[in-house]
Amino acid sequence: MRKKRYVSRSIVFVICAIFAIAFLLPTVLTITNSFMTESEINANYGAVFNDKQSSSFQSGQVNLKFIPDKVTMSQYVNGLIRSPDYLIKFWNSVLLTLPIVIFQVGIASLAAYGFTRWRGKIRGFIFFFYVILMLMPYQVTLVPNYLVSKWLNIYDTRWAIILPGAFAPFSVFLLTKFMRRIPYSLIEAAKMEGAGEWYIFTRICLPQCRAALYSIVILVFIDYWNMVEQPLILLNDPEKQPLSVFLSTINTGEIGLAFAMGTVYMIPCLLLFLHGEEYLVEGIAHQGSVKG
């Protein structure tokens, strides 16, 4: 019986390892290829990017290569120093994403606390309305957001993206479900000691929701860091658009530059995920624990 269990676990481990490697291959390929010379990239991937109007690609087959023959930093120098457009677009992404994350977490925390403490009959209806909004894909709300931004005279400004993102319902739903797991006796004990609502919110509820807050920050940051449709519709000026939009405009003659800028673009998401990895699964699964 024990031997059979060991064999089954080994099979599951091998299958999971295969899937993990398969998912990591594109990321590893992007990072390693960013250190290749343009001529080596052309030789390895000429068949992919070949077109009839260009004669710079001579290879007739694709050669997936993870170790460059000659390591070079020229792609990063071109993208970050010689071509400041990429660096400007990177900071555009930062200036769009960070305010959305900060405002959404703050607004969701207050709204979730209100849903948790409010015992009115209409609470269930409003929360159900929030869930319906969460289920709607953001592509459906692009046209209303466009019309509203025109009406508020914020079209073609960062606020046209920041304001809809700050009031997104996903964080409210996740944080409300997590706060409801906090024992009500803990709040009652604080009220008996003379604690007010603000003290209960900041000193009891928020510390208990640390895992959920980490999860929300990671998920919201990754979601809006990779947004494409919103900037294309709501930002008419290309100088204000983030790097996620600008990467799609790199032509076939700059594939090495695309690898390098793609690697730079992945760094914030990877660092944030690695920092809050231990809280991510716990926050999504609502498995918060109460500390004494």
Side-chain angles (χ1 to χ4, degrees):
M1 186 69 178
R2 183 178 299 178
K3 184 177 180 180
K4 185 182 296 185
R5 184 181 303 173
Y6 176 79
V7 172
S8 61
R9 288 182 178 178
S10 300
I11 294 174
V12 172
F13 175 80
V14 171
I15 294 175
C16 292
I18 293 173
F19 276 103
I21 293 173
F23 281 114
L24 286 175
L25 279 179
T27 302
V28 176
L29 190 68
T30 301
I31 295 174
T32 56
N33 286 192
S34 66
F35 296 100
M36 288 184 180
T37 61
E38 194 71 38
S39 59
E40 186 177 358
I41 293 175
N42 294 343
N44 292 327
Y45 309 110
V48 177
F49 304 106
N50 187 26
D51 55 27
K52 296 180 180 180
Q53 299 178 351
S54 175
S55 59
S56 59
F57 302 105
Q58 300 176 357
S59 175
Q61 61 182 357
V62 177
N63 179 27
L64 293 180
K65 194 172 183 180
F66 292 91
I67 301 177
D69 294 332
K70 181 182 178 181
V71 177
T72 178
M73 298 291 293
S74 61
Q75 312 294 357
Y76 291 95
V77 174
N78 293 334
L80 299 177
I81 299 177
R82 296 179 182 175
S83 301
D85 286 341
Y86 297 97
L87 193 58
I88 293 173
K89 301 299 182 182
F90 178 86
W91 286 110
N92 284 345
S93 298
V94 174
L95 294 176
L96 285 173
T97 307
L98 284 185
I100 291 176
V101 173
I102 294 172
F103 289 143
Q104 187 173 145
V105 171
I107 294 172
S109 300
L110 293 171
Y113 181 74
F115 279 123
T116 303
R117 299 282 289 136
W118 182 28
R119 301 294 178 179
K121 295 181 179 180
I122 200 174
R123 181 193 65 174
F125 173 77
I126 296 178
F127 190 73
F128 176 76
F129 183 69
Y130 259 86
V131 175
I132 296 299
L133 289 177
M134 186 185 67
L135 294 177
M136 295 177 60
Y138 56 80
Q139 290 88 349
V140 176
T141 61
L142 275 177
V143 174
N145 286 340
Y146 172 81
L147 297 176
V148 172
S149 64
K150 281 280 192 179
W151 180 67
L152 295 176
N153 293 322
I154 59 174
Y155 176 73
D156 200 24
T157 67
R158 293 189 178 95
W159 290 108
I161 296 178
I162 293 174
L163 288 180
F167 293 94
F170 169 75
S171 300
V172 178
F173 170 79
L174 185 62
L175 204 52
T176 300
K177 303 299 287 186
F178 202 93
M179 280 190 180
R180 287 178 179 176
R181 297 179 61 87
I182 300 176
Y184 191 72
S185 59
L186 192 65
I187 298 177
E188 286 294 325
K191 292 179 65 176
M192 292 180 62
E193 295 293 332
E197 294 293 339
W198 182 252
Y199 183 92
I200 295 174
F201 171 66
T202 57
R203 301 297 181 88
I204 296 178
C205 290
L206 287 185
Q208 299 296 331
C209 297
R210 183 180 303 175
L213 291 173
Y214 265 99
S215 301
I216 290 171
V217 168
I218 294 173
L219 295 175
V220 171
F221 183 89
I222 293 176
D223 185 24
Y224 285 94
W225 185 258
N226 297 316
M227 62 181 170
V228 175
E229 290 89 350
Q230 298 99 314
L232 283 176
I233 300 299
L234 301 174
L235 292 178
N236 191 40
D237 187 1
E239 295 297 325
K240 300 176 183 178
Q241 293 178 348
L243 187 57
S244 56
V245 175
F246 198 57
L247 283 176
S248 62
T249 64
I250 297 179
N251 57 47
T252 56
E254 300 174 317
I255 304 304
L257 191 59
F259 279 129
M261 292 302 99
T263 301
V264 172
Y265 194 67
M266 288 189 296
I267 290 176
C269 294
L270 291 176
L271 292 178
L272 185 62
F273 174 78
L274 293 175
H275 177 69
E277 179 184 4
E278 59 180 309
Y279 298 102
L280 182 59
V281 177
E282 179 185 352
I284 296 176
H286 311 291
Q287 297 297 322
S289 60
V290 178
K291 299 181 180 179

